[in-house]
Amino acid sequence: MQNLLHNLNEEQLAAVTLPAQSALILAGAGSGKTRVLTTRIAWLIQTGQVSPAGILAVTFTNKAAKEMLARLSAMMPINTRGMWIGTFHGLCNRLLRAHHRDAGLPQTFQILDSQDQLSAIKRLLKQMNVDDEKYPPRNLMYFINSAKDQGLRAKDVEAHDDYNRKFVELYELYDHQCQREGVVDFAELLLRSYELLSRNQPLREHYQQRFKHILVDEFQDTNDLQYKWLKLMSGQGQINAGAVFAVGDDDQSIYAFRGANVGNMQAFEHEFRVQNMIKLEQNYRSHGHILDAANILIANNSKRLGKNLRTDAGHGEQVRVFEASSDLQEAQWIIEQVKNLIAEGWSRSEIALLYRSNAQSRVLEHALFSSAIPYRVYGGQRFFERAEIKHAIAYLQLMDNLHNDSAFLRVVNFPTRGIGAKALEQLQDAARQQGCSLYAAVPYVAGKAGSSLNAFIKLIEGARFETQHLPLQEMVKVVLDASSLITHYQSEKEGADRIENLEQLVSAATLFVSEEGYGLDTPAFLGPQAQAVAGTSITTADGVEIMDADAPLAAVMSPLSAFLSHASLEAGDNQAQVGQDALQLMTVHSAKGLEFDAVFITGLEEGLFPHENSAKEEGGVEEERRLMYVAITRARKRLYMSFSQTRMLHGQTRYNLRSRFFDELPDEAIKWLSPKIAQQAGWFAHPKAAWDEAPESGNNKIAQNFSRPDSGWRIGQNVAHAKFGEGVIVNIEGGGGSTRAHINFGKFGMKLLDLSVAKLEKL
């Protein structure tokens, strides 16, 4: 026991050893929350308060779940394979697999990732002859997912007008389509699981009795339905309710656009009658000046639960801030700083360039490429999202569930086998008339189209027959060969990488089988009878027999079904995966949960960071400030910030005001940098510009150019107006007493002012 607890600080120890009551752990960035969570689980098990099977732990990413299981295995000699530790989607998938009949799902139901969901919606709109310009598929997808995240079916959504009413109608049709095909999207996993527990009292009571200790990571990122699901699973409000150990940081809630509700933390404190709220404020990541900047910035947000990060690592270096004249100069400055860091011995993989919008990466990538600095960009396609992998997975999905129309349409004519748009139109008409899947409708299509479609069906059924006794990795090999995918990409000029990825799919299948507890020789496809035997069941106090999901997925799913679920869930995981010795480029959202020795936060301008959309949304600026807080706290040793007077975005030049966040940072933690000026004007265009520290700290301005000698004003100059506030001069016309200036006043927009009349203050 002593070994388990000996490295915890006072706050961490208090959290780990709390009594069996619901508690809220306010865990600041870099405060060791993962360690607290895993040690709490180990302590509960080691002290005999709960068995491993009685723990339910919810993580935000698959990566975090794997890390927690690995740490637990290292802490104590227990088999973690059957433990309920995973994401909301992963755990709900597991629950629905064990109780698919009660949930109204086929045993081999499949999960649509976001790409597949969008394809299914496009197909629905086409079948219903709906104008996809008036009702964009992506908008409909957001509408459906948002409704599900709130726990609302189509019948529960209020339609305020005809346009909204059409979305509701399409939502209902989409649900029918998914049910007919035996597929569920991510949001459906949670909603279907919640509905199952809500209406099935014996099942609900079984899991409430079983999971007396529920631990939740990243609680600030839960949405409304996830919070309801937790309340239901814990038996909140009942006499013998389970203890919920919620760990989160309201200052790092940055996913409102995905439905996250930071208010859940305060609701939890009230509704669960939390008596224990512990703040983890000791930071083990960043130096003092970095934490001072983060603390003072976030203090500007209202309705915080409140905490203040501290460190024993000393003040460290000040935060370096650079003002550039253009995004090109900003990129050049970053290149010079990166080169200096590398020359000092810093690892490239420990240097991160963060930006608010993906559109910013183009200029940075060009500068890095030109300087021959290896880099890696996040936000690109993950392995299971790549086109060639999606094609191979679709073949496997169709073998597992012949009625998956999305999978059918993806591969029926890929590689090309003479099945054109007209043949597919005939097939879809037949399926609509018969009320069946595309696969089942093939016999109703005559002529040449019917012959071609029948040949495809024989291909799939032949592969099913050939692989029925083969292990998963061998099945994948057969499918790659039978589908002609390898042959197809061999004929492509740049197909070598795609073939390599397809071969990697075999390795991924082998690894998955061994990690999930299947034997390497276990047949990939188990028929329903074999799967039923593999499952487990329990009898409730009322004598009701129900399936139990106590065992790992290997007990309730075939290797093929489990692997397909894994592929979909991995494709939906949003966190970046760090690797290879290259500079790391990513959005701030992607950087959540990561840390680096040196961090550059770029593009700190009004309208970009904070984003212009934030001004239109309630609480939008506070969310942007939390995002800035996340960006700052990614840095361990050195932090750079930069902004630019002009920036080319979406084909247009923008004239910028610096971000308001600079006014919220402590002067003593900031070091302003300026370019070494070789001549009075035009310094920013010099390709070999060198960078010096500014002679003074504070909010000094460094634009020295673009002035008109006869006016005393210059382009790029920051000014203040009594009515419009701060602005930046973006153009000057005329001269003498008739000089006029175009000034960008941020939220007040562009104004043309007569400089002889307007009372402007130079900043």
Side-chain angles (χ1 to χ4, degrees):
M1 182 67 65
Q2 198 62 32
N3 290 337
L4 198 63
L5 307 176
H6 78 286
N7 277 331
L8 301 176
N9 66 32
E10 186 177 340
E11 299 159 343
Q12 293 172 334
L13 180 63
V16 166
T17 57
L18 280 171
Q21 299 172 339
S22 290
L24 180 59
I25 312 302
L26 201 57
S31 62
K33 67 179 178 64
T34 304
R35 182 177 195 176
V36 167
L37 274 164
T38 51
T39 309
R40 169 73 173 176
I41 294 172
W43 181 78
L44 288 170
I45 295 171
Q46 199 167 62
T47 54
Q49 298 183 59
V50 66
S51 71
I55 292 284
L56 176 68
V58 188
T59 62
F60 192 62
T61 65
N62 295 308
K63 176 186 172 185
K66 290 175 182 175
E67 182 181 348
M68 189 177 291
L69 288 166
R71 288 195 188 192
L72 279 172
S73 295
M75 282 181 173
M76 53 199 314
I78 59 170
N79 182 1
T80 60
R81 188 165 280 153
M83 293 184 70
W84 277 58
I85 296 178
T87 63
F88 277 105
H89 294 124
L91 294 172
C92 288
N93 173 53
R94 183 171 179 171
L95 184 72
L96 293 174
R97 295 291 174 184
H99 310 290
H100 62 92
R101 290 189 187 88
D102 291 324
L105 289 169
Q107 188 165 24
T108 56
F109 74 83
Q110 292 171 355
I111 303 169
L112 298 175
D113 62 26
S114 55
Q115 288 183 37
D116 291 335
Q117 184 186 15
L118 187 60
S119 297
I121 286 172
K122 288 178 179 178
R123 179 158 46 84
L124 173 69
L125 295 179
K126 188 175 181 180
Q127 286 177 355
M128 303 307 298
N129 294 316
V130 174
D131 184 352
D132 60 5
E133 290 189 5
K134 185 176 181 181
Y135 301 97
R138 199 170 291 276
N139 290 5
L140 177 57
M141 183 170 78
Y142 291 151
F143 176 85
I144 291 170
N145 291 343
S146 177
K148 289 186 178 183
D149 285 344
Q150 297 172 65
L152 303 175
R153 289 290 179 196
K155 62 181 176 57
D156 305 315
V157 179
E158 286 188 38
H160 304 292
D161 51 41
D162 288 342
Y163 187 82
N164 200 253
R165 194 170 293 109
K166 186 65 175 178
F167 266 40
V168 173
E169 176 190 331
L170 291 169
Y171 173 14
E172 187 169 14
L173 291 170
Y174 167 78
D175 262 0
H176 290 323
Q177 174 179 290
C178 289
Q179 187 66 31
R180 183 175 65 252
E181 296 177 14
V183 296
V184 298
D185 54 49
F186 286 143
E188 182 71 18
L189 283 171
L190 194 69
L191 180 54
R192 188 73 67 110
S193 174
Y194 176 77
E195 291 171 339
L196 171 64
L197 292 171
S198 295
R199 68 171 180 267
N200 192 320
Q201 184 180 347
L203 193 66
R204 181 174 69 250
E205 290 177 348
H206 163 66
Y207 285 110
Q208 286 173 347
Q209 288 301 313
R210 174 181 170 177
F211 296 128
K212 285 302 183 182
H213 288 275
I214 299 177
L215 301 93
V216 189
D217 192 9
E218 305 286 8
F219 195 84
Q220 77 280 353
D221 293 325
T222 55
N223 62 32
D224 292 342
L225 184 58
Q226 288 166 344
Y227 183 47
K228 289 179 182 176
W229 187 89
L230 287 168
K231 289 198 289 186
L232 200 60
M233 188 67 89
S234 67
Q236 181 261 335
Q238 299 176 15
I239 296 176
N240 295 318
V244 178
F245 188 85
V247 180
D249 183 359
D250 54 336
D251 291 334
Q252 294 190 72
S253 179
I254 60 173
Y255 293 109
F257 70 96
R258 289 211 302 247
N261 182 1
V262 66
N264 285 346
M265 293 189 76
Q266 292 179 327
F268 173 78
E269 187 181 9
H270 170 70
E271 294 178 7
F272 281 75
R273 298 177 184 174
V274 171
Q275 299 175 25
N276 298 296
M277 184 171 80
I278 295 176
K279 298 179 181 181
L280 304 182
E281 298 176 301
Q282 179 72 39
N283 179 278
Y284 294 97
R285 176 186 301 161
S286 307
H287 287 162
H289 280 313
I290 295 171
L291 294 184
D292 289 343
N295 285 331
I296 292 174
L297 172 90
I298 202 63
N300 288 278
N301 272 7
S302 60
K303 298 180 182 177
R304 297 173 60 228
L305 292 170
K307 66 180 182 319
N308 208 54
L309 297 176
R310 64 180 188 274
T311 182
D312 295 333
H315 286 299
E317 301 178 38
Q318 289 175 298
V319 178
R320 293 162 167 81
V321 179
F322 180 74
E323 177 178 7
S325 65
S326 69
D327 50 353
L328 297 176
Q329 190 206 27
E330 178 188 45
Q332 184 62 39
W333 172 75
I334 290 170
I335 294 299
E336 295 300 321
Q337 302 307 309
V338 168
K339 285 181 176 178
N340 290 341
L341 289 170
I342 294 171
E344 292 172 22
W346 296 57
S347 169
R348 285 189 292 261
S349 63
E350 288 298 339
I351 304 172
L353 273 56
L354 308 184
Y355 34 81
R356 177 64 182 84
S357 166
N358 275 311
Q360 293 170 249
S361 73
R362 182 190 61 81
V363 172
L364 295 171
E365 286 189 69
H366 179 75
L368 289 166
F369 179 79
S370 300
S371 302
I373 297 176
Y375 66 92
R376 181 179 179 185
V377 181
Y378 298 98
Q381 288 186 320
R382 292 170 172 270
F383 179 76
F384 286 111
E385 293 174 332
R386 293 168 183 164
E388 62 275 17
I389 300 300
K390 294 282 285 182
H391 288 314
I393 290 292
Y395 276 103
L396 294 170
Q397 287 175 328
L398 202 53
M399 290 170 67
D400 194 45
N401 174 9
L402 295 169
H403 305 292
N404 183 336
D405 284 0
S406 293
F408 187 100
L409 287 171
R410 175 177 279 276
V411 296
V412 65
N413 197 40
F414 191 92
T416 305
R417 50 178 61 90
I419 300 174
K422 196 167 184 180
L424 291 177
E425 194 175 317
Q426 288 179 253
L427 178 63
Q428 288 170 325
D429 287 343
R432 210 164 24 245
Q433 291 169 8
Q434 300 298 324
C436 64
S437 67
L438 297 177
Y439 170 85
V442 168
Y444 298 98
V445 180
K448 183 181 177 183
S451 298
S452 299
L453 288 165
N454 269 301
F456 173 69
I457 294 300
K458 286 178 181 176
L459 185 155
I460 297 299
E461 291 180 344
R464 276 168 62 94
F465 179 79
E466 186 178 348
T467 60
Q468 60 182 323
H469 300 301
L470 293 180
L472 180 63
Q473 60 274 24
E474 295 300 323
M475 170 187 268
V476 175
K477 289 179 184 178
V478 170
V479 168
L480 293 179
D481 181 54
S483 64
S484 300
L485 284 172
I486 297 287
T487 305
H488 169 79
Y489 289 120
Q490 282 174 339
S491 63
E492 281 195 356
K493 185 178 179 181
E494 299 179 357
D497 286 345
R498 295 186 186 274
I499 292 172
E500 188 176 328
N501 287 333
L502 289 171
E503 290 169 346
Q504 187 61 30
L505 186 62
V506 180
S507 301
T510 305
L511 180 63
F512 175 81
V513 165
S514 63
E515 284 185 342
E516 291 300 322
Y518 296 99
L520 286 174
D521 57 350
T522 303
F525 178 78
L526 296 175
Q529 291 181 338
Q531 290 186 57
V533 172
T536 58
S537 65
I538 59 103
T539 303
T540 67
D542 299 329
V544 180
E545 186 177 21
I546 57 175
M547 288 293 294
D548 182 33
D550 187 26
L553 287 179
V556 292
M557 295 178 70
S558 71
L560 175 58
S561 292
F563 181 63
L564 294 174
S565 295
H566 163 75
S568 296
L569 293 171
E570 280 291 316
D573 204 336
N574 292 287
Q575 190 175 13
Q577 305 291 323
V578 175
Q580 72 190 69
D581 186 24
L583 205 67
Q584 315 291 314
L585 273 68
M586 65 192 77
T587 64
V588 182
H589 280 102
S590 296
K592 176 79 169 16
L594 303 177
E595 56 186 78
F596 305 91
D597 285 342
V599 169
F600 291 79
I601 309 174
T602 66
L604 282 164
E605 298 131 25
E606 283 294 304
L608 187 55
F609 201 175
H611 197 276
E612 56 194 353
N613 291 344
S614 65
K616 307 169 189 173
E617 302 164 359
E618 184 179 354
V621 173
E622 294 210 347
E623 172 109 350
E624 291 288 301
R625 190 175 286 111
R626 291 194 292 269
L627 192 59
M628 180 65 175
Y629 176 84
V630 167
I632 291 172
T633 54
R634 298 311 94 198
R636 297 189 192 107
K637 301 174 182 176
R638 197 175 289 183
L639 177 61
Y640 300 82
M641 299 179 183
S642 61
F643 62 103
S644 174
Q645 296 167 12
T646 64
R647 183 176 301 277
M648 177 72 75
L649 274 180
H650 311 300
Q652 294 184 325
T653 299
R654 296 168 51 143
Y655 296 88
N656 308 308
L657 291 171
R658 68 178 191 171
S659 172
R660 71 189 69 185
F661 295 148
F662 284 113
D663 297 328
E664 301 172 359
L665 299 177
D667 287 346
E668 59 275 13
I670 303 299
K671 178 187 290 184
W672 289 80
L673 308 179
S674 66
K676 193 179 286 182
I677 302 173
Q679 52 191 39
Q680 183 63 27
W683 54 262
F684 49 85
H686 198 285
K688 298 295 184 184
W691 324 108
D692 276 350
E693 296 175 12
E696 76 239 31
S697 63
N699 300 339
N700 57 313
K701 301 292 178 225
I702 61 174
Q704 308 282 340
N705 46 358
F706 275 25
S707 61
R708 294 184 65 96
D710 57 346
S711 71
W713 302 94
R714 57 179 171 75
I715 292 175
Q717 187 168 41
N718 290 281
V719 297
H721 187 273
K723 179 178 179 181
F724 303 126
E726 286 193 19
V728 60
I729 297 175
V730 300
N731 194 26
I732 296 175
E733 58 185 48
S738 61
T739 305
R740 298 190 301 173
H742 295 262
I743 305 174
N744 184 351
F745 285 105
K747 67 178 180 179
F748 287 101
M750 194 74 70
K751 304 294 180 184
L752 178 62
L753 300 182
D754 187 329
L755 294 179
S756 65
V757 177
K759 295 180 180 180
L760 291 177
E761 178 188 353
K762 296 179 181 178
L763 297 178

